[in-house]
Amino acid sequence: MKSSHTTLICIIMLSLFALHECEKMEVKEIGRSSKIILPACMHETCSGGFSLKNDCWCCLRLKTKQARCWKEKEFPNAKELCFANCSPLE
């Protein structure tokens, strides 16, 4: 047997093992692992121009981001305000 045949057999065996493991998973496990959880608020850059400093907290649940951002300079408790006023996803 050539080395390419041996390699091909190894790849097939590994694929069959992976398929067997996927078959053993329950449907609940598959659904739970595919969810992406987004936070209600994000620490973002609100100052104009090119800046790498995150200086405000914005609610991601609203379509208009500018209407629901709290600048840390104006509101020292901007993070708490954002999470308190931003409704969670349902």
Side-chain angles (χ1 to χ4, degrees), residues 42-47 51-57 72:
M42 287 283 285
H43 202 202
E44 295 187 7
T45 304
C46 286
S47 57
S51 175
L52 297 176
K53 183 182 176 200
N54 293 335
D55 58 353
C56 68
W57 285 87
E72 291 176 332

Side-chain angles (χ1 to χ4, degrees), residues 39-46 55-72 74-75 77-88:
C41 295
M42 287 283 285
H43 202 202
E44 295 187 7
T45 304
C46 286
D55 58 353
C56 68
W57 285 87
C58 296
C59 183
L60 296 177
R61 304 294 187 247
L62 302 172
K63 292 185 188 240
T64 57
K65 184 174 87 170
Q66 293 301 326
R68 286 297 211 178
C69 287
W70 293 269
K71 290 188 177 184
E72 291 176 332
E74 297 170 16
F75 301 97
N77 60 341
K79 181 179 180 180
E80 290 80 19
L81 280 171
C82 185
F83 279 100
N85 293 307
C86 191
S87 62

Side-chain angles (χ1 to χ4, degrees), residues 10-50:
C10 288
I11 290 172
I12 291 172
M13 293 299 289
L14 287 173
S15 298
L16 289 174
F17 175 74
L19 183 63
H20 176 70
E21 289 299 313
C22 286
E23 188 179 83
K24 289 186 346 184
M25 286 181 71
E26 292 183 23
V27 175
K28 288 185 275 184
E29 292 178 36
I30 295 169
R32 183 176 48 227
S33 65
S34 64
K35 289 184 181 178
I36 297 173
I37 300 171
L38 293 174
C41 295
M42 287 283 285
H43 202 202
E44 295 187 7
T45 304
C46 286
S47 57
F50 182 73

